[in-house]
Amino acid sequence: MISSMTVLVVDDFSTTRRIISRLLSQLGFTRIHQASNGIEALEHLAKNKVDLVVTDWHMPEMDGLELVVNMRTHPETARVPVLMVTAESKKEQMTKAAYAGVNGYLVKPFTAEALHGKIQRIVARLDEAQLQAAV
């Protein structure tokens, strides 16, 4: 399942995008795209099917939280899962992200194993929700 997913990595730092993309590649993802902020991400999402968004919180022009809120208001992107990867580790921030519609939250720095675990949990919840919807 993972190898067939298309992932959009959104972060204003190109080095961070490359690191996350490399980790995703090591985990078996083959379709990885990148955007440097929320506006670029929305433009990409409008033109391309994406199965998972991995985004930073703090970015110029449109941050990750604004991106998620915007995604959740549009039918085409409302159900695309989002993993927030950020240095924000306060419980209030995590709660705010969850209310906005973030499906998973990972605090930087993180390991490849932690990234893999979060993605697996998100995918498992999606699979479970799809099975329940089919019943």
Side-chain angles (χ1 to χ4, degrees), residues 16-42:
T16 303
R17 288 194 309 270
R18 280 195 307 272
I19 290 168
I20 293 172
S21 295
R22 189 174 334 112
L23 290 173
L24 290 168
S25 180
Q26 291 170 359
L27 295 172
F29 290 91
T30 57
R31 293 184 278 186
I32 304 165
H33 303 270
Q34 299 181 10
S36 63
N37 61 52
I39 293 171
E40 283 185 23
L42 288 176

Side-chain angles (χ1 to χ4, degrees), residues 24 31 35 43 50 64 76 90 101 103-104 125 128 130:
L24 290 168
R31 293 184 278 186
E43 290 170 359
V50 172
E76 304 82 26
K90 295 179 183 169
N103 302 86
R125 283 193 303 256
E128 185 177 308
Q130 288 173 350

Side-chain angles (χ1 to χ4, degrees), residues 3 13 48 74 81 84 96 134:
S3 63
F13 290 106
N48 303 280
H74 291 88
M84 181 78 69
K96 189 174 184 179

Side-chain angles (χ1 to χ4, degrees), residues 14-82:
S14 61
T15 302
T16 303
R17 288 194 309 270
R18 280 195 307 272
I19 290 168
I20 293 172
S21 295
R22 189 174 334 112
L23 290 173
L24 290 168
S25 180
Q26 291 170 359
L27 295 172
F29 290 91
T30 57
R31 293 184 278 186
I32 304 165
H33 303 270
Q34 299 181 10
S36 63
N37 61 52
I39 293 171
E40 283 185 23
L42 288 176
E43 290 170 359
H44 184 86
L45 289 164
K47 298 174 187 171
N48 303 280
K49 182 186 180 306
V50 172
D51 301 302
L52 173 67
V53 173
V54 178
T55 186
D56 185 24
W57 187 313
H58 299 287
M59 298 177 287
E61 298 186 48
M62 179 186 285
D63 68 26
L65 197 61
E66 291 172 291
L67 168 62
V68 174
V69 169
N70 193 298
M71 288 174 63
R72 297 304 179 233
T73 62
H74 291 88
E76 304 82 26
T77 56
R79 295 185 174 271
V80 174
V82 177

